[in-house]
Amino acid sequence: MTALAFTAPAQDEPAFTPPTNGSPSWLAHQLPSGWLIAALLSWLGLDQLLLWRFLDIMPVWAYPLGALLIVGLCVATVRAMPDQRGPTVATLIACMAVALILLMLGGEGRFFYANIDWQVRLAALNDMRINPWPFVYTARAEPDVLRFPIGMFLVPALAGKAWGAGAGDIALLLQNAVMLAMLLAMGSTLFNKRRERTVALTILVGFSGLDALGRILFRGGLSDHMENWAYLQYSSTITLAFWVPQHAMSGWIGATGYLLWRDGKASLAQFLTLLPLTALWSPLGLMGAMPFAALAGMRALMARDIRARDIGLPALALLLATPGLLYLGAANDDVGARLNALPPLQWGLFELLEVLVYAIPVALVAHARRFGMDTLVLLTLWLLAIPFVQIGSSTDFMMRGSVTALTILAVMLVDLLLVPSRARLFLIVALAVGALTPLHEIRRAISHPAAPEVHCSFFMAWRQSFWFQPMGTYLAPISYMPALVRPTNPYRASAAEPARCWDGQWYHPDGRYGPPHSGGQDGVEGKAKGQTHTPEQVPLGREDMTQQSIQ
């Protein structure tokens, strides 16, 4: 923690100081930030075209037009960059190493344990790999289209088709690692010195609410998965990376774009153009970024600083993303939004230990508000409000819709900790307590066997751990698909299933509740011994289970 004890750099200090320890000159070369944003935009744009092919909804001539639109957006994005000074090659390499380590520990590539969300996710990826595109499931009376935030899976599925299941796993890891590395590298330009960037990375990776304190005070002690201590959840950075990287990427893109724009290192057009394309990775993450997009637009309007590109480029990106938005919005009867009544004490204690413990010190210290008091007010109000909104059958909206706001709050904390203040010691202690949450997640990753290969379909995998949840977050009856995105002649996937979904053990964090399969050992269907309830009759005491992400 003593690394925090240094002063902020002078305002005229260069954004990046080349290495002076004999590093090769190419490592000190600065990459234009516009190129990194364009690379990110091109990958998100490619996902849109692959969705067209997955559903087989576009004529052949539409693909060159879509590719031309993506190229045009990338060129315009590079030209719109107000500050071309980006991270060094050395910084990007370091960020890639960090991203690979984090995502491998989260189970990607199947080198380490993967949390139970990956049971369904890997089954869906396998279905996309082995079945011709487009395809429908035939396990129910009406054929179902696989309809979920599919962006993260399209390229890995193609790699799996070409070179086998293992190649798909590695492609998923590399794709996500490159994307996270680019975000970390672009975010590093918000800080001037190497020590500042190191401190920022440490805080961001370890950032979490005081879940351990909440567990001890209100639940009688620590547990394997601590964040649902109040039956509400804001996820730590590590939890997001390990459990739901697709939702995390969407929210982190929104946070990075907003912070770069607010710091004068990206244009409003660049920030807004990225957002529609993230919906295919996570519409919930996109929703969490929209309040900050609205604030950015309002500030630009008030300053009379709106340019044609600030409207035109996001509009073109929205046009490109429209089929994806129609696809995601199909047959969402099981996902609909509703207000969630919360006891005031439950809500107040949760917000105190997850949000206010950090937001209040930032509000009280002027130099911690580099990104504006309006930003702090907005993110605090958003984080106070979203627990009252439920989308779907669980708390996924508040967990994923909070990603952008929590990331911005973490960066504002970095600013506060980089200079001496009366709040520093308190925040160091709070962050240390919060770090127990990601440490528990890492402990689980290295304590249990690596994730096995999934052999069964989405349907059988779903019944292993999520049997008590509706399947509407992943499936849409084909008749419910809008005409523009409805496959016209899909392949009918076989409903036959293997004897086991996977071989070996797959540890369940809430295994004490005994989900209806063979104790999580072999992925075999059938109720656990002595269990008499049905999927429609969730037993009392399953509150933790109902907080799980199912996407």
Side-chain angles (χ1 to χ4, degrees), residues 258-279:
Y258 177 81
L259 291 168
L260 290 174
W261 167 77
R262 196 65 190 253
D263 206 41
K265 292 181 170 63
S267 67
L268 181 62
Q270 290 168 321
F271 168 41
L272 298 181
T273 301
L274 286 170
L275 294 184
L277 303 178
T278 66

Side-chain angles (χ1 to χ4, degrees), residues 280-303:
L280 208 54
W281 281 62
S282 172
L284 301 181
L286 172 60
M287 291 178 193
M290 291 310 296
F292 300 92
L295 176 61
M298 289 176 57
R299 287 184 62 87
L301 281 172
M302 293 172 63

Side-chain angles (χ1 to χ4, degrees), residues 402-426:
S402 60
V403 175
T404 297
L406 289 172
T407 304
I408 294 172
L409 178 59
V411 172
M412 298 182 87
L413 279 175
V414 175
D415 277 357
L416 176 54
L417 289 167
L418 287 176
V419 296
S421 73
R422 289 176 294 178
R424 177 190 281 181
L425 179 60
F426 169 79

Side-chain angles (χ1 to χ4, degrees), residues 459-489:
F459 275 89
M460 187 172 175
W462 184 273
R463 290 193 288 266
Q464 304 309 303
S465 295
F466 297 105
W467 50 273
F468 56 92
Q469 297 276 22
M471 294 183 178
T473 52
Y474 268 81
L475 299 177
I478 191 168
S479 64
Y480 284 63
M481 298 291 291
L484 181 62
V485 293
R486 183 188 304 145
T488 56
N489 189 27

